[in-house]
Amino acid sequence: MHETPPLLLRREALTQGWSDDELARALRTGELSRVRRGAYAHEVPAGERHTLLVQATVAQLRRAAVVSHQSAAVLLGLPLWNVPLDRVHVTRTPGAGTHRSSVLCCHVARLRDDEVVEVSGIRVTNAARTLLDLARSLPHELSVVALDAALHRGVLSAEQLRARLFDVVGSPGSRAAARAVAFADGRSESVGESRSRVALARWKLPVPELQFEVRSPAGLLVARTDFAWPEDRLVGEFDGRVKYGRLLRPGETAGDAVHREKLREDAVRAEGWGVVRWGWSDLEAPHRLAARLRRARERARLSV
């Protein structure tokens, strides 16, 4: 978990000599920001705000609970994309009731002792259970992004994840979790690549090979591509702005990286491969992306 500025609870602030007027003034001037009612922090970066919300909420719980779902993912440092972080998610054992308020979402489920770890003094579901809970509760695309990224980073293996599926069998969303786990692939290296895989599957495009190496007749590596359909001699590349940042070499500008990418694409085409590129905007209209890829595959087949 990333280090965060210390959380200031109102009850502690009052014992330290603050008054409510001083707290209100600090909020108006921006010296403090409100994490939730009765909990404040100094200049909280957006990425750390949920951690502080978790700390503030857990400190005020009247009944024991284990932090879970996306809140556990944040504390464990697991990657998330487009997942709501407005509420703290916790899990209590059967006998408790589900509960949802403006800041808290309480789930009810059985947790084994080995599914719970401690992070900075807070009881949290472990990585495998957290990812499975996300896969049960999030839309398929969002859960695949989280699973792909965790597998890519080596947080756990696909075999470990599949082995833990029996822990959620029969619970709400367990079939969705099994589907997401079966689809997850650690070879996806970015959110864009994971979302692309989901889009291609939904529009029934043939399953591409990932991180495919295009080689010359002599066996020399020409390029490693995001996606490939070798039977059509067609490769696909997801172009996200961040990709060019990752490609920058010491002293290079983004323009240098783009030019180098163009030369790389020219080299791929020179080996008789077609190239299709897409970006974030294309993922918002996946039916059009699917149509482009079908046309590209048809052209590639005709040119072989």
Side-chain angles (χ1 to χ4, degrees), residues 221-261:
L221 178 64
V222 175
R224 188 168 69 97
T225 63
D226 297 335
F227 306 94
W229 293 268
E231 67 278 11
D232 301 320
R233 293 190 70 80
L234 177 68
V235 301
E237 292 278 82
F238 175 78
D239 282 332
R241 289 183 182 180
V242 68
K243 179 172 183 174
Y244 293 109
R246 293 203 312 266
L247 291 172
L248 287 182
R249 296 171 179 171
E252 271 193 334
T253 66
D256 295 331
V258 171
H259 178 65
R260 184 155 46 80
E261 274 292 285

Side-chain angles (χ1 to χ4, degrees), residues 24-39:
R25 189 180 309 115
L27 288 171
R28 288 195 301 271
T29 61
E31 179 186 350
L32 291 177
S33 63
R34 181 180 280 107
V35 176
R36 59 164 290 174
R37 185 176 181 181

Side-chain angles (χ1 to χ4, degrees), residues 141-156:
E141 181 182 45
L142 274 59
S143 62
V144 167
V145 168
L147 292 170
D148 279 1
L151 294 174
H152 180 68
R153 296 183 186 185
V155 174
L156 74 178

Side-chain angles (χ1 to χ4, degrees), residues 277-295:
R277 291 184 176 274
W278 61 88
W280 294 110
S281 61
D282 297 297
L283 294 179
E284 301 306 319
H287 60 293
R288 296 195 186 101
L289 173 60
R292 281 181 54 204
L293 285 168
R294 289 192 179 100
R295 290 194 298 269

Side-chain angles (χ1 to χ4, degrees), residues 197-206 285-291 294:
R197 291 200 310 113
V198 172
L200 297 179
R202 282 178 175 167
W203 287 91
K204 303 189 185 303
L205 272 296
H287 60 293
R288 296 195 186 101
L289 173 60
R294 289 192 179 100

Side-chain angles (χ1 to χ4, degrees), residues 10 23 31 50 88 94 96 218 249 260 262 276 281 288:
R10 175 182 175 274
L23 289 171
E31 179 186 350
H50 191 71
V88 174
R249 296 171 179 171
R260 184 155 46 80
K262 182 182 182 305
V276 179
S281 61
R288 296 195 186 101

Side-chain angles (χ1 to χ4, degrees), residues 90-124:
V90 300
T91 294
R92 290 189 170 116
T93 55
T98 58
H99 173 72
R100 187 179 182 91
S101 69
S102 60
V103 294
L104 182 69
C105 184
C106 180
H107 307 265
V108 176
R110 289 183 174 83
L111 294 173
R112 296 198 320 270
D113 290 343
D114 64 353
E115 291 181 302
V116 179
V117 297
E118 192 170 289
V119 178
S120 298
I122 297 175
R123 298 177 72 227
V124 180

